[in-house]
Amino acid sequence: MSETLANLLQETRRFPPPADLAAAANVTADAYDSAAEDRLAFWARQAGRLDWSTEWDQILDWSNPPFAKWFVGGKLNVAYNCLDRHVAAGHGDRVAIHWEGEPGDTRTITYADLLAMTSQAANALTDLGVTAGDRVAIYLPMIPEAAVAMLACARIGATHSVVFGGFSADALTNRIQDASAKVVITADGGFRRGKPSALKPTVDEAVAKCPTIERVLVVRRTGQDVAWSDRDVWWHEAVETASTEHTAEAFDAEHPLFILYTSGTTAKPKGILHTTGGYLTQAAYTHHAVFDLKPESDVYWCTADIGWVTGHSYIVYGPLANGATQLMYEGTPDTPHKGRFWELVQKHKVTILYTAPTLIRTMMKWGDDIPRGHDLSSLRLLGSVGEPINPEAWIWYRENIGRGECPVVDTWWQTETGAIMISPLPGVTSTKPGSAMRPLPGISADVVDDQAQSVPDGGGGFLVLREPWPSMLRTIWGDDQRFVDTYWSRFEGLYFAGDGAKKDDDGDLWLLGRVDDVMLVSGHNISTTEVESALVSHPSVAEAAVVGATDPTTGQAIVAFTIPRGSVDTEGSAGEALIAELREHVSKTLGPIAKPRQILLVPELPKTRSGKIMRRLLRDVAENRSLGDVTTLQDSSVMDLISSGMRSGKSDED
Ligand code: ATP
Ligand code: MG
């Protein structure tokens, strides 16, 4: 970005925290001051929220950057902190997980139950020859055994690598090979969209190419037929018969806890390595601070899949370390009907909901009357993660899900950061729709220009992190050089996140998407996010993805792929009229420079399995190229639909 990003979007709405929430908030404004006074002492206090079997000698060793060590010399067990200590404190009967299967079957698992299940799994894994430092691949549906498998690995010091259950055999093979995993934990299948969906055949295909795999541990979930070999072991035979007693051994604060591959929106997935003490400290603290979790009264629900970092930090480690009661759901939001999520919120009286913009925009597309049919009055706090949230989607979420009362926390972070970095504090921050606001206490984020100079308020550029943080990635598994090159080479001494951002006139942060997605139109850097948000602010639009396509006169021209809301007529001339109206609307909202050259009305957008829009594929379509790597795409038929719309000229051009 030679020039800084144009700052086009103006947003003046403000939402102060509700008085009752502010009065009882877990974290108050003085946290910013105390962290600013002594950042390391602040993090040491947060580490003190955990149980350590050996105290650390040094809070941070940053003598060999970018390779950080946090809580040097300290020892703890992650599973002990998530389970045993709550049971020991008398909370064994508290529900840890209210689980809902897609077909309607349910399970209620207390902390005492979860400890017993995890102990059994730890004993069984040990019997299968897994020892501390070994890697275990986990390829499971959203069933409680997924959390149990992760906790059991943590308990015995094995490093887990969870692979999303929707991935193909190739994706699983690559991830197993990259980590040289010894065991895979899987299931016969899981329920997706009303049908059993097999997992075991994919594992069989992958394992045939993975000589490091010694055993495959298989949970019976759907009861479908599975091929069987000597290396396979049933979970109900090996785990459910094992002893429920297991003494957790403490591991070094820097012991590898897990490897997780990024979602692949921009490039080949990277095996991000997280370790023990710093990771758990920040996952637990941020869950406590950002969601204001009250373990005695809240029912928390994070809708992410366990295969993403959000599932790791905000289904398993953060909430369980804090003794939360949570809901876990196996299936899709539209099975058996589009109100399933709201039915579950009503049934379990969910108080805190954490979901993704893609889901919010999908709900907008489905229509307001769906949530309106349910009692959502238990909700008191709403969160968002995964992509920039468009101001209109933020408002829709607050109004239609949060009754116009619940604070919305837009949380920015990455697989690499391990835990939330930039977010409002719900009892402190007056929020602005679409802004992640400020770095959390103890976090040092900034926006810089291409000379690494901090941009003034009102300016835009690259999001960087200035100081190491406890849950930071320690490296890319097996590739220290790629770690240094990817994150630490663009700006000397700074972590480069890959995202563009701007500071508004108050110094609050607005995420503008990947820097790779920024468009250069007639000499102006324009963010795809801002144009998308302008489109979504039109009442007929549910979702939009914008890309820059090479253009002979303007350098790049703006091409928008737009999904209309459910009720909107787009046939024939109505579609043409809508397109013309949308181009005018963007021009009026952001200025003529941002007026799209072309708008296409499409039924769907290409998304990764984690629901993020894959703009690079749309850029291929817009520039008439053949498509790049589509292996992490959710549904490849979407691209055919979009490409054929493009070819048939269902678009508008001056
Ligand atoms: P890859 O790095 O392989 O391309 P990915 O970046 O999509 O994959 P994740 O680590 O899951 O994989 O996603 C992190 C990214 O998601 C962030 O860098 C940012 O672009 C986006 N993101 C997450 N939360 C927010 C948010 N609240 N606002 C804006 N963007 C967000
Ligand atoms: Mg990324």
Side-chain angles (χ1 to χ4, degrees):
M1 278 180 264
S2 44
E3 270 177 80
T4 57
L5 269 161
N7 190 351
L8 299 174
L9 193 75
Q10 297 300 326
E11 173 61 68
T12 53
R13 291 169 286 191
R14 298 286 178 279
F15 298 92
D20 52 341
L21 196 154
N26 286 351
V27 176
T28 50
D30 52 295
Y32 292 107
D33 303 328
S34 77
E37 228 161 74
D38 188 340
R39 196 174 58 88
L40 295 184
F42 170 83
W43 283 118
R45 282 196 296 282
Q46 307 321 323
R49 300 179 67 250
L50 305 176
D51 276 18
W52 296 73
S53 70
T54 308
E55 187 81 4
W56 56 88
D57 316 309
Q58 191 186 358
I59 301 168
L60 169 67
D61 176 357
W62 191 233
S63 58
N64 180 30
F67 299 94
K69 291 191 180 122
W70 280 86
F71 307 113
V72 184
K75 285 191 159 76
L76 74 170
N77 187 287
V78 166
Y80 177 90
N81 273 280
C82 292
L83 303 170
D84 307 55
R85 65 170 178 152
H86 304 314
V87 175
H91 305 309
D93 292 338
R94 182 186 294 162
V95 174
I97 300 175
H98 290 290
W99 180 78
E100 292 275 344
E102 199 191 72
D105 51 334
T106 64
R107 289 162 75 181
T108 306
I109 298 170
T110 64
Y111 273 91
D113 297 335
L114 198 57
L115 172 57
M117 293 162 78
T118 301
S119 297
Q120 288 185 311
N123 285 321
L125 285 173
T126 303
D127 289 345
L128 293 177
V130 179
T131 58
D134 286 342
R135 270 83 56 209
V136 173
I138 298 177
Y139 184 71
L140 282 169
M142 284 292 286
I143 55 178
E145 284 77 6
V148 170
M150 292 164 72
L151 291 162
C153 287
R155 195 169 183 90
I156 63 173
T159 303
H160 59 69
S161 164
V162 181
V163 180
F164 173 60
F167 274 143
S168 66
D170 279 349
L172 180 59
T173 304
N174 293 337
R175 285 160 178 76
I176 291 175
Q177 288 178 348
D178 188 68
S180 308
K182 192 169 180 180
V183 165
V184 189
I185 305 178
T186 188
D188 49 0
F191 289 97
R192 294 282 307 162
R193 303 220 142 77
K195 293 192 296 280
S197 154
L199 290 174
K200 178 72 166 41
T202 312
V203 173
D204 292 340
E205 193 184 332
V207 166
K209 294 178 220 137
C210 299
T212 57
I213 294 295
E214 294 173 10
R215 307 311 289 262
V216 177
L217 185 55
V218 189
V219 178
R220 189 153 65 196
R221 164 64 184 138
T222 58
Q224 61 203 120
D225 284 339
V226 291
W228 207 251
S229 89
D230 292 346
R231 116 220 111 202
D232 299 337
V233 188
W234 281 115
W235 178 280
H236 57 265
E237 288 174 2
V239 177
E240 287 170 13
T241 57
S243 164
T244 55
E245 301 293 320
H246 181 273
T247 307
E249 178 195 340
F251 293 99
D252 191 90
E254 286 297 333
H255 187 77
L257 179 63
F258 66 84
I259 302 166
L260 182 63
Y261 292 81
T262 58
S263 75
T265 315
T266 51
K268 176 172 170 279
K270 304 171 273 286
I272 303 302
L273 178 69
H274 284 287
T275 59
T276 296
Y279 170 79
L280 193 65
T281 295
Q282 195 175 330
Y285 172 70
T286 51
H287 182 257
H288 164 83
V290 172
F291 300 110
D292 190 43
L293 181 97
K294 312 282 196 242
E296 311 78 29
S297 53
D298 276 317
V299 179
Y300 164 86
W301 185 18
C302 168
T303 69
D305 191 276
I306 216 124
W308 310 122
V309 72
T310 308
H312 284 55
S313 301
Y314 299 107
I315 295 177
V316 179
Y317 295 117
L320 295 176
N322 289 333
T325 294
Q326 67 179 313
L327 173 62
M328 180 176 180
Y329 171 55
E330 178 184 34
T332 55
D334 53 355
T335 308
H337 57 79
K338 290 178 173 159
R340 184 74 191 263
F341 270 27
W342 314 125
E343 188 177 87
L344 290 175
V345 167
Q346 175 176 330
K347 173 176 173 188
H348 291 282
K349 300 195 168 45
V350 171
T351 59
I352 303 169
L353 179 68
Y354 192 28
T355 192
T358 181
L359 210 121
I360 298 164
R361 294 186 303 247
T362 301
M363 299 290 181
M364 285 170 76
K365 181 171 66 185
W366 288 346
D368 304 358
D369 41 325
I370 294 176
R372 212 176 289 137
H374 299 272
D375 178 6
L376 307 182
S377 62
S378 55
L379 288 169
R380 68 178 192 95
L381 181 63
L382 304 174
S384 170
V385 62
E387 286 182 290
I389 179 165
N390 320 104
E392 252 8 272
W394 192 105
I395 293 284
W396 186 91
Y397 191 30
R398 183 181 159 96
E399 293 298 323
N400 291 276
I401 308 304
R403 311 177 305 282
E405 290 167 14
C406 299
V408 175
V409 289
D410 173 20
T411 63
W412 179 87
W413 59 295
Q414 313 175 294
T415 308
E416 293 88 339
T417 69
I420 299 172
M421 303 292 282
I422 306 176
S423 166
L425 284 176
V428 178
T429 314
S430 276
T431 52
K432 304 174 181 177
S435 170
M437 304 300 292
R438 296 279 167 133
L440 288 177
I443 298 300
S444 171
D446 198 2
V447 182
V448 299
D449 63 19
D450 54 5
Q451 301 302 309
Q453 297 303 308
S454 184
V455 305
D457 290 350
F462 304 94
L463 182 70
V464 295
L465 301 169
R466 292 199 171 275
E467 301 289 348
W469 63 99
S471 64
M472 65 195 282
L473 76 166
R474 297 307 194 259
T475 189
I476 292 176
W477 180 258
D479 201 344
D480 287 349
Q481 193 56 48
R482 192 176 176 204
F483 170 62
V484 173
D485 293 346
T486 308
Y487 305 109
W488 300 94
S489 299
R490 181 109 178 217
F491 305 110
E492 170 100 47
L494 301 178
Y495 172 88
F496 169 52
D499 288 350
K502 71 182 187 197
K503 292 181 192 166
D504 66 17
D505 294 336
D506 304 321
D508 295 321
L509 300 176
W510 297 72
L511 275 299
L512 296 177
R514 318 313 178 101
V515 290
D516 312 351
D517 290 338
V518 169
M519 304 173 289
L520 188 61
V521 182
S522 306
H524 296 267
N525 282 302
I526 297 178
S527 104
T528 51
T529 300
E530 288 194 309
V531 181
E532 288 162 7
S533 290
L535 285 162
V536 175
S537 74
H538 188 281
S540 301
V541 175
E543 201 163 3
V546 163
V547 298
T550 311
D551 184 275
T553 42
T554 56
Q556 279 191 313
I558 300 175
V559 178
F561 298 80
T562 303
I563 304 182
R565 290 215 198 185
S567 53
V568 176
D569 177 18
T570 57
E571 286 309 306
S573 63
E576 299 300 319
L578 176 59
I579 287 168
E581 191 180 320
L582 292 177
R583 294 181 69 227
E584 270 325 301
H585 176 75
V586 175
S587 175
K588 258 195 242 124
T589 315
L590 298 178
I593 183 79
K595 184 175 183 172
R597 178 185 77 185
Q598 201 172 0
I599 292 182
L600 288 94
L601 302 179
V602 294
E604 273 306 334
L605 292 169
K607 291 183 182 166
T608 62
R609 305 275 178 156
S610 59
K612 293 178 204 265
I613 298 170
M614 282 173 99
R615 288 180 193 73
R616 64 179 169 81
L617 296 181
L618 293 172
R619 220 157 26 229
D620 292 341
V621 172
E623 296 186 337
N624 293 313
R625 265 195 310 275
S626 57
L627 295 182
D629 181 16
V630 293
T631 50
T632 60
L633 193 63
Q634 161 93 18
D635 173 4
S636 53
S637 66
V638 167
M639 290 315 296
D640 301 336
L641 275 174
I642 294 172
S643 308
S644 65
M646 189 87 184
R647 274 194 302 275
S648 71
K650 260 184 76 187
S651 62
D652 179 52
E653 216 167 322
D654 274 356

